[in-house]
Amino acid sequence: MVSIACHVVLTHERGRFTGPKGSTQPEITPDTHLRLADAVKIAFPLGGMTVAGLRRERDRNGLVIEKIAGKDFTTLAHIERMRELCREEARGPDFSSRPPAETRAGRSATRQPGSSETTAGMSAQAALQMRLRQRSKS
């Protein structure tokens, strides 16, 4: 089950919930179809997400949006699923605490096939000059 905290101001009158405009609103559940503007206000009450952002997630296949009568709808459950897909896992550090010499010592002593290294200890320019000299001699 999906649990999303909703911070919607509703007033209870005669067994009905009324919203800010005084319209009667049913209870909002994770499966209630909401217009994107309303979904943004409920799912992201402190901001940070826009209707355009939800549409971008739809375009990336990260959010299910239903188009009904030319209007876009989604549910809080779909938004929670999108958030799960967007979560990044904690990564390890992008650096090594070992000094560079230790790191190099761990590499294979034999050259790997397809290595872009021209000649050990020789610059690319020096290797090219050596080739040109060999061709001019022949």
Side-chain angles (χ1 to χ4, degrees):
M1 177 166 202
V2 177
S3 63
I4 296 178
C6 296
H7 302 291
V8 180
V9 178
L10 299 174
T11 307
H12 187 263
E13 292 178 9
R14 297 184 197 178
R16 297 197 227 149
F17 289 99
T18 58
K21 294 181 182 176
S23 62
T24 303
Q25 295 181 353
E27 179 184 350
I28 297 173
T29 68
D31 295 318
T32 302
H33 286 82
L34 302 167
R35 296 283 301 268
L36 297 186
D38 296 328
V40 165
K41 289 176 191 172
I42 295 168
F44 301 92
L46 300 177
M49 180 57 74
T50 63
V51 171
L54 292 181
R55 287 191 178 118
R56 276 193 297 277
E57 286 300 317
R58 172 203 57 200
D59 296 343
R60 289 185 235 176
N61 294 322
L63 177 64
V64 175
I65 291 182
E66 299 175 21
K67 190 173 272 291
I68 303 170
K71 295 169 179 65
D72 291 335
F73 292 86
T74 193
T75 67
L76 296 176
H78 289 143
I79 290 175
E80 182 60 28
R81 174 74 179 131
M82 173 197 75
R83 293 172 82 167
E84 288 172 7
L85 293 172
C86 291
R87 280 192 191 103
E88 291 186 4
E89 300 212 10
R91 299 184 326 177
D94 290 339
F95 60 90
S96 173
S97 60
R98 292 183 294 168
E102 286 181 54
T103 305
R104 281 192 211 108
R107 293 184 184 158
S108 172
T110 59
R111 289 188 63 203
Q112 297 296 318
S115 173
S116 63
E117 209 172 304
T118 54
T119 307
M122 187 182 290
S123 71
Q125 185 177 10
L128 179 61
Q129 288 174 349
M130 186 172 78
R131 279 191 198 162
L132 291 174
R133 276 190 227 121
Q134 288 173 350
R135 284 188 185 170
S136 65
K137 288 179 183 179
S138 52

